[in-house]
Amino acid sequence: MQVTMSLASLVGKSSDFQEEYLRRSLRTILAYAEEDAEMQNTLLPSQVDELLRNLNSILSDTVKMREFQEDPEMLMDLMYRIAKGYQTSPDLRLTWLQNMAEKHNNRKCYTESAMCLIHAAALVAEYLSMLEDHKYLPVGSVTFQNISPNVLEESAVSDDILSPDEDGVCSGRYFTESGLVGLLEQAAELFSNGGLYEAVNEVYKIIIPILEARRDFRKLASTHEKLQRAFDNIIQKGHKRMFGTYFRVGFYGAKFGDLDEREFIYKEPGITHLPEISHRLENFYSQCFGDETLVMIKDSTPVDRKQLNPSKAYIQITYVEPYFDDYEMKDRLTNFEKNFNLRRFMYTTPFTKSGRPRGELNEQYKRKTILTTMHSFPYVKTRINVIQKEEFDLTPIEVAIEDMQKKTRELAVATHREQPDAKMLQMLLQGSVGATVNQGPLEVAQVFLNEIPADPKLFRHHNKLRLCFKEFIMRCGEAVEKNKHLITSDQKEYQQELKKNYNRLRENLRPMLERKIPELYKPIIRPRLENRDSFKRLSFRRAPEENS
């Protein structure tokens, strides 16, 4: 630990140190450890090796930081790795987490800045719980799970590695109750700046017991005022908050070094469009490699390494959306819950059997790709490694079912909002019942529901789509009715036109929606009551005798 702290001091504060001499001295230490015959049967050589690997990576990353001052994502990755290298030196890890928080704050990434301080507070809590056992203090990092599951990383260093209060470990001013409260209050302020008011509540749940134990009523009063402001903001801003946009970014080519063939999910501010992030990365890497060397891949199809030019650098960027299983959606009801603690993301790639991306409705397939990241967003950095990829294909009728479910969901949400948005509702209605909608609902129904499929395997899909349309037409009716109460006096003709189009669509769909597949609606045969105890009367032994 002392060696690590010395290295940190040397690399961080001295501007004229010679990296090569430092590496040579580290190699010399390793040679001594390997050549010491008496120590070969002990753990020392392997421990020295592990220490020197850690020191080498800290040294490399610290030197690299100077090169990547203009690349915010790479800079944060390096700072993150350095902080991880100091896992066994809590004081240094805390310092680097605060450095990261400051960098994020300068870039107006308030949520990530808050997360760095939450990790720092969890680290402090971990060591305070070793020193003193007070009920009002958090039980180490596990108490912070409601804020983020990522915080459990801070419990990696336990009391068998370090004992606080020895040799100057955890001696900084933050490793105290006041230090813990200070870090948490800063984090709450940053969450508030980032619009994550629900997280502010979770942070204060940890602070309040400490303030109550101290009888600090003045601070308790101001804390509850801040909580009231946070809840007022949730009520007022609710669904209007934009939490972030996500993109999958893949790097291909030896020129990228460590990044070659790695995929990340990038978190970008509020409403960021694909051309914006594409332009930013293109500009930066063009300066690194030259315009002729960098190639931006425009589609989301899988990259084949064999078809790439080894002398060029390729970047592929795809817009992705958070992905949840059905069971998860039961717990993710609010806009905040659908944008917090995200680990899985999805993008879709349309294709046809002929090889073209787009085709007629009855030949339009869709590939869903689900990516899982190493950590949950939001995190202490804005890009996270992809560690798993799953793919599955949807048939044309499944694509139609999904599209109709999405349309129906959007209509239901727009209609039943507490404060309906008339423009949004009218835009959705225009896309649903508008007379000139190409590949609109009526065409989808005519392609897939006009005839009962010959293949019994498609019966259930056919029936599911029919039921989707029944709900869709019901939601359209609700939306048209709702719109009647939202329109201004000069929109009455528009409303009549909408109503007429809705009635026409309903009449056109009626025969297809009333046609059921007989095989799926066969009556269930109930057993006759007098035979209920026949099983008791007949033994299995008698059956073969009767048959014989």
Side-chain angles (χ1 to χ4, degrees), residues 123-374:
L123 185 65
V124 169
E126 198 71 27
Y127 285 92
L128 283 182
S129 68
M130 289 184 211
L131 285 171
E132 43 200 321
D133 182 22
H134 292 307
K135 284 183 180 175
Y136 59 83
L137 283 176
V139 189
S141 58
V142 73
T143 309
F144 294 75
Q145 274 187 107
N146 280 355
I147 303 171
S148 169
N150 300 322
V151 179
L152 288 176
E153 288 172 15
E154 304 309 327
S155 62
V157 180
S158 59
D159 50 359
D160 57 7
I161 296 175
L162 284 173
S163 301
D165 234 17
E166 281 180 22
D167 305 321
V169 184
C170 307
S171 56
R173 65 192 173 97
Y174 288 102
F175 286 91
T176 61
E177 282 182 23
S178 299
L180 175 64
V181 170
L183 287 167
L184 287 168
E185 284 180 331
Q186 277 178 280
E189 189 68 32
L190 286 162
F191 275 135
S192 189
N193 293 345
L196 273 72
Y197 307 112
E198 290 84 348
V200 173
N201 178 38
E202 292 299 333
V203 174
Y204 280 122
K205 281 181 187 176
I206 301 170
I207 296 175
I208 287 171
I210 302 172
L211 299 180
E212 286 173 344
R214 289 182 181 175
R215 280 66 165 177
D216 191 341
F217 300 114
R218 194 179 298 277
K219 218 161 191 188
L220 277 166
S222 70
T223 297
H224 283 287
E225 275 175 30
K226 287 172 188 169
L227 273 172
Q228 185 179 351
R229 272 203 300 277
F231 290 131
D232 284 342
N233 277 320
I234 294 171
I235 294 162
Q236 286 158 20
K237 295 179 183 176
H239 62 270
K240 293 175 188 169
R241 289 176 288 169
M242 292 301 300
F243 293 103
T245 312
Y246 297 89
F247 297 92
R248 165 195 162 269
V249 180
F251 296 93
Y252 306 94
K255 287 195 177 293
F256 283 115
D258 294 348
L259 293 179
D260 185 17
E261 284 205 63
R262 286 177 70 188
E263 287 183 14
F264 296 91
I265 298 294
Y266 276 58
K267 176 177 179 266
E268 294 290 302
I271 306 169
T272 303
H273 298 292
L274 185 64
E276 291 175 62
I277 180 174
S278 190
H279 188 62
R280 177 167 76 81
L281 294 181
E282 188 174 1
N283 273 1
F284 175 74
Y285 286 104
S286 293
Q287 288 170 8
C288 296
F289 308 130
D291 290 340
E292 303 77 29
T293 308
L294 185 71
V295 180
M296 304 298 287
I297 300 171
K298 302 290 184 192
D299 56 42
S300 61
T301 50
V303 174
D304 182 1
R305 270 313 281 258
K306 292 171 193 165
Q307 293 184 358
L308 302 184
N309 182 337
S311 64
K312 290 189 181 287
Y314 296 83
I315 297 178
Q316 186 183 42
I317 305 174
T318 316
Y319 169 73
V320 293
E321 291 180 329
Y323 175 81
F324 309 107
D325 285 317
D326 290 341
Y327 73 88
E328 287 180 277
M329 290 306 286
K330 290 171 188 165
D331 297 322
R332 292 184 183 265
L333 303 175
T334 66
N335 193 22
F336 168 79
E337 286 160 353
K338 288 171 188 165
N339 285 278
F340 200 70
N341 286 343
L342 308 175
R343 267 196 80 194
R344 294 207 293 164
F345 299 86
M346 181 194 73
Y347 65 92
T348 56
T349 313
F351 71 98
T352 60
K353 294 289 186 187
S354 64
R356 289 176 298 123
R358 302 266 174 202
E360 295 298 321
L361 285 169
N362 60 347
E363 53 185 28
Q364 184 65 69
Y365 289 77
K366 191 194 280 183
R367 178 167 295 122
K368 279 189 171 185
T369 307
I370 295 161
L371 306 170
T372 306
T373 54
M374 188 178 272

Side-chain angles (χ1 to χ4, degrees), residues 15-79:
S15 56
D16 59 346
F17 83 96
Q18 292 292 322
E19 185 194 347
E20 185 45 45
Y21 292 148
L22 196 49
R23 287 200 189 281
R24 197 182 299 167
S25 63
L26 293 178
R27 284 197 295 272
T28 308
I29 296 171
L30 187 59
Y32 279 138
E34 287 171 350
E35 289 166 15
D36 192 332
E38 290 178 24
M39 301 304 289
Q40 285 310 307
N41 294 328
T42 69
L43 287 172
L44 183 71
S46 62
Q47 287 173 335
V48 170
D49 183 50
E50 190 183 334
L51 169 67
L52 295 182
R53 277 174 196 269
N54 194 27
L55 294 178
N56 260 314
S57 66
I58 289 170
L59 180 58
S60 298
D61 290 339
T62 311
V63 170
K64 269 190 198 170
M65 271 181 64
R66 294 170 190 175
E67 297 171 35
F68 289 98
Q69 286 300 320
E70 299 305 311
D71 181 356
E73 282 85 18
M74 193 64 194
L75 188 62
M76 292 316 296
D77 273 3
L78 292 169
M79 292 180 84

Side-chain angles (χ1 to χ4, degrees), residues 480-497:
V480 169
E481 195 57 33
K482 184 79 171 181
N483 193 55
K484 189 165 89 176
H485 303 292
L486 298 176
I487 56 168
T488 52
S489 55
D490 60 335
Q491 287 184 305
K492 284 185 178 171
E493 274 186 45
Y494 172 70
Q495 172 67 15
Q496 285 169 353
E497 187 66 21

